Coordinates of all heavy atoms in Angstrom, one line a residue:
S1 N 128.2 121.5 156.2 CA 127.8 123.0 156.6 C 126.3 122.9 156.9 O 125.5 122.0 156.5 CB 128.1 123.9 155.6 OG 127.4 123.6 154.3
A2 N 125.9 123.9 157.7 CA 124.5 124.0 158.1 C 124.1 125.5 158.5 O 125.0 126.2 158.6 CB 124.1 123.1 159.3
G3 N 122.8 125.7 158.5 CA 122.3 127.0 158.7 C 121.4 127.1 159.9 O 120.7 126.1 160.3
L4 N 121.2 128.3 160.5 CA 120.3 128.5 161.6 C 118.9 128.4 161.2 O 118.0 128.0 162.0 CB 120.5 129.8 162.4 CG 121.9 130.1 162.9 CD1 121.9 131.3 163.9 CD2 122.5 128.9 163.7
L5 N 118.5 128.8 160.0 CA 117.2 128.8 159.5 C 116.7 127.4 159.1 O 117.5 126.6 158.8 CB 117.1 129.8 158.1 CG 117.5 131.2 158.4 CD1 117.3 131.9 157.1 CD2 116.7 131.9 159.5
N6 N 115.4 127.2 159.3 CA 114.9 126.0 158.9 C 114.7 125.8 157.4 O 113.7 125.7 156.9 CB 113.5 125.7 159.6 CG 113.1 124.3 159.6 OD1 113.8 123.4 159.4 ND2 111.7 124.1 159.6
L7 N 115.9 125.8 156.7 CA 115.9 125.8 155.2 C 116.6 124.5 154.8 O 117.8 124.4 155.1 CB 116.6 127.0 154.8 CG 116.6 127.3 153.3 CD1 115.2 127.5 152.7 CD2 117.6 128.5 152.9
E8 N 115.8 123.7 154.1 CA 116.4 122.4 153.7 C 116.2 122.2 152.2 O 115.2 122.4 151.7 CB 115.6 121.3 154.5 CG 116.3 119.9 154.3 CD 115.8 118.9 155.3 OE1 115.0 119.2 156.0 OE2 116.4 117.7 155.2
G9 N 117.3 121.8 151.6 CA 117.3 121.4 150.2 C 117.5 122.5 149.2 O 117.5 122.4 148.0
A10 N 117.9 123.8 149.7 CA 118.1 124.9 148.9 C 119.5 124.9 148.2 O 120.5 124.4 148.9 CB 117.9 126.2 149.5
S11 N 119.6 125.3 147.0 CA 121.0 125.4 146.4 C 121.8 126.5 146.9 O 121.2 127.5 147.6 CB 120.8 125.6 144.9 OG 120.0 124.6 144.3
A12 N 123.0 126.5 146.7 CA 123.9 127.6 147.1 C 123.6 128.8 146.1 O 123.2 128.5 145.0 CB 125.4 127.2 146.9
S13 N 123.7 130.0 146.6 CA 123.4 131.2 145.8 C 124.2 131.1 144.5 O 125.5 130.6 144.5 CB 123.6 132.4 146.5 OG 124.9 132.6 146.8
S14 N 123.7 131.7 143.5 CA 124.6 131.7 142.2 C 125.8 132.5 142.3 O 126.9 132.1 141.8 CB 123.7 132.3 141.0 OG 123.3 133.6 141.4
E15 N 125.8 133.5 143.1 CA 127.0 134.3 143.4 C 128.0 133.6 144.2 O 129.2 133.7 143.9 CB 126.6 135.6 144.1 CG 125.7 136.6 143.4 CD 124.3 136.3 143.6 OE1 123.9 135.2 144.1 OE2 123.4 137.0 143.3
S16 N 127.6 132.7 145.1 CA 128.5 131.9 145.9 C 129.2 130.8 145.0 O 130.4 130.5 145.1 CB 127.8 131.2 147.0 OG 127.3 132.2 148.0
V17 N 128.3 130.3 144.2 CA 128.8 129.2 143.2 C 129.9 129.8 142.3 O 130.9 129.3 142.0 CB 127.7 128.6 142.4 CG1 128.3 127.7 141.3 CG2 126.7 127.9 143.3
A18 N 129.6 131.0 141.8 CA 130.6 131.7 141.0 C 131.9 132.1 141.6 O 133.0 131.9 141.1 CB 129.9 133.0 140.3
A19 N 131.8 132.6 142.9 CA 133.0 133.0 143.7 C 133.9 131.8 143.9 O 135.1 131.9 143.9 CB 132.5 133.7 144.9
C20 N 133.2 130.7 144.2 CA 134.0 129.5 144.4 C 134.6 128.9 143.2 O 135.7 128.5 143.2 CB 133.1 128.4 145.2 SG 132.9 128.7 146.9
S21 N 133.8 128.9 142.1 CA 134.4 128.4 140.8 C 135.6 129.2 140.4 O 136.5 128.6 139.8 CB 133.3 128.6 139.8 OG 133.7 128.1 138.5
A22 N 135.7 130.5 140.7 CA 136.8 131.2 140.3 C 138.0 130.8 141.1 O 139.2 131.1 140.8 CB 136.5 132.8 140.6
R23 N 137.9 130.1 142.2 CA 138.9 129.6 143.1 C 139.1 128.1 142.9 O 139.7 127.4 143.7 CB 138.6 129.9 144.5 CG 138.7 131.4 144.8 CD 138.0 131.8 146.1 NE 138.2 133.2 146.3 CZ 137.5 134.3 145.8 NH1 136.7 133.9 144.8 NH2 137.9 135.5 146.0
G24 N 138.5 127.5 141.8 CA 138.7 126.1 141.5 C 137.9 125.2 142.5 O 138.3 124.0 142.7
V25 N 136.8 125.7 143.0 CA 136.0 125.0 143.9 C 134.6 124.8 143.3 O 134.0 125.9 143.0 CB 135.9 125.6 145.3 CG1 135.0 124.9 146.2 CG2 137.3 125.6 145.9
D26 N 134.1 123.6 143.4 CA 132.7 123.4 142.8 C 131.7 123.1 143.9 O 131.8 122.1 144.6 CB 132.7 122.2 141.8 CG 131.3 122.0 141.2 OD1 130.4 122.8 141.3 OD2 131.2 121.0 140.4
I27 N 130.8 124.1 144.1 CA 129.7 123.9 145.2 C 128.3 123.8 144.5 O 127.3 124.1 145.2 CB 129.8 124.9 146.2 CG1 129.6 126.3 145.8 CG2 131.1 124.8 147.0 CD1 129.4 127.4 146.9
S28 N 128.3 123.6 143.2 CA 127.0 123.6 142.5 C 126.0 122.6 142.9 O 124.8 122.8 142.8 CB 127.2 123.5 141.0 OG 127.9 122.3 140.7
S29 N 126.5 121.5 143.5 CA 125.6 120.4 144.0 C 125.2 120.6 145.4 O 124.5 119.7 146.0 CB 126.3 119.1 143.8 OG 127.5 119.0 144.6
H30 N 125.6 121.7 146.1 CA 125.3 121.9 147.5 C 123.8 122.0 147.7 O 123.1 122.6 146.9 CB 126.0 123.2 148.0 CG 125.5 123.5 149.3 ND1 126.0 122.9 150.5 CD2 124.6 124.5 149.8 CE1 125.4 123.4 151.6 NE2 124.5 124.4 151.1
R31 N 123.3 121.4 148.8 CA 121.9 121.6 149.2 C 121.9 121.9 150.7 O 122.6 121.3 151.5 CB 121.1 120.3 149.0 CG 121.0 120.0 147.5 CD 120.1 121.0 146.7 NE 120.0 120.7 145.3 CZ 120.9 121.1 144.4 NH1 122.0 121.9 144.7 NH2 120.7 120.8 143.1
S32 N 121.2 122.9 151.1 CA 121.2 123.4 152.5 C 120.6 122.4 153.4 O 119.7 121.6 153.1 CB 120.4 124.8 152.6 OG 119.0 124.6 152.2
Q33 N 121.0 122.5 154.7 CA 120.4 121.8 155.8 C 120.3 122.6 157.1 O 121.2 123.4 157.3 CB 121.1 120.5 156.0 CG 122.6 120.6 156.5 CD 123.2 119.3 156.8 OE1 122.5 118.3 157.1 NE2 124.5 119.2 156.8
P34 N 119.3 122.4 157.9 CA 119.3 123.2 159.2 C 120.2 122.6 160.2 O 120.5 121.4 160.2 CB 117.8 123.1 159.6 CG 117.3 121.8 159.0 CD 118.0 121.7 157.7
L35 N 120.7 123.5 161.1 CA 121.6 123.1 162.2 C 120.8 122.2 163.1 O 119.6 122.5 163.4 CB 122.1 124.3 162.9 CG 123.1 124.0 164.0 CD1 124.4 123.5 163.5 CD2 123.3 125.4 164.8
S36 N 121.3 121.1 163.6 CA 120.7 120.3 164.6 C 121.6 119.9 165.7 O 122.9 119.9 165.5 CB 120.2 119.0 163.9 OG 121.2 118.2 163.4
V37 N 121.1 119.4 166.8 CA 121.9 118.8 167.9 C 122.8 117.6 167.4 O 123.9 117.6 167.8 CB 121.0 118.4 169.0 CG1 121.8 117.7 170.1 CG2 120.2 119.6 169.6
E38 N 122.1 116.8 166.6 CA 122.8 115.7 166.0 C 124.1 116.1 165.2 O 125.2 115.5 165.4 CB 122.0 114.8 165.2 CG 122.7 113.6 164.6 CD 121.7 112.7 163.7 OE1 120.6 113.2 163.4 OE2 122.1 111.6 163.4
L39 N 124.0 117.1 164.4 CA 125.0 117.6 163.6 C 126.2 118.1 164.5 O 127.4 117.9 164.3 CB 124.6 118.7 162.6 CG 124.1 118.3 161.3 CD1 123.6 119.5 160.5 CD2 125.3 117.6 160.5
I40 N 125.7 118.9 165.5 CA 126.8 119.5 166.4 C 127.5 118.4 167.2 O 128.8 118.4 167.2 CB 126.0 120.4 167.4 CG1 125.4 121.6 166.7 CG2 127.0 120.8 168.5 CD1 124.5 122.4 167.5
E41 N 126.8 117.4 167.7 CA 127.5 116.4 168.5 C 128.3 115.5 167.7 O 129.2 114.9 168.4 CB 126.4 115.7 169.4 CG 125.7 116.6 170.4 CD 124.7 116.0 171.3 OE1 124.4 114.8 171.0 OE2 124.2 116.6 172.3
E42 N 128.0 115.2 166.5 CA 128.8 114.3 165.7 C 130.1 115.0 165.1 O 131.0 114.4 164.6 CB 128.1 113.7 164.7 CG 127.8 114.6 163.5 CD 126.9 113.9 162.4 OE1 126.4 112.8 162.7 OE2 126.8 114.4 161.2
S43 N 130.2 116.3 165.2 CA 131.3 117.1 164.7 C 132.4 117.3 165.7 O 132.2 117.4 166.9 CB 130.8 118.5 164.1 OG 129.8 118.3 163.1
D44 N 133.6 117.3 165.1 CA 134.8 117.5 166.0 C 135.3 118.9 166.0 O 135.9 119.4 167.0 CB 135.9 116.5 165.5 CG 135.5 115.1 165.4 OD1 135.3 114.5 166.5 OD2 135.3 114.5 164.3
R45 N 135.1 119.7 164.9 CA 135.5 121.0 164.7 C 134.4 121.7 164.2 O 133.9 121.4 163.1 CB 136.8 121.3 163.9 CG 138.0 120.5 164.5 CD 138.6 121.3 165.6 NE 140.0 120.7 166.0 CZ 140.2 119.6 166.7 NH1 139.1 118.9 167.1 NH2 141.5 119.2 167.0

């Protein structure tokens, strides 16, 4: 995943972590990255 803002290395919000945890999904180790041409071109969907 990636974002439009030039934000790199930020954790997922605590609310997002909690919402996912309630669904059996752990995103506590997530770190943000900015969207790039390289990311776009290497992705299939």
Side-chain angles (χ1 to χ4, degrees):
S1 60
L4 302 193
L5 300 181
N6 190 24
L7 185 62
E8 188 164 4
S11 301
S13 68
S14 58
E15 296 88 349
S16 297
V17 172
C20 281
S21 180
R23 290 161 175 78
V25 175
D26 181 6
I27 61 169
S28 60
S29 62
H30 171 79
R31 297 295 179 268
S32 65
Q33 63 176 337
L35 183 67
S36 66
V37 173
E38 182 182 9
L39 270 174
I40 294 169
E41 293 184 349
E42 73 179 18
S43 299
D44 302 292
R45 299 285 192 280

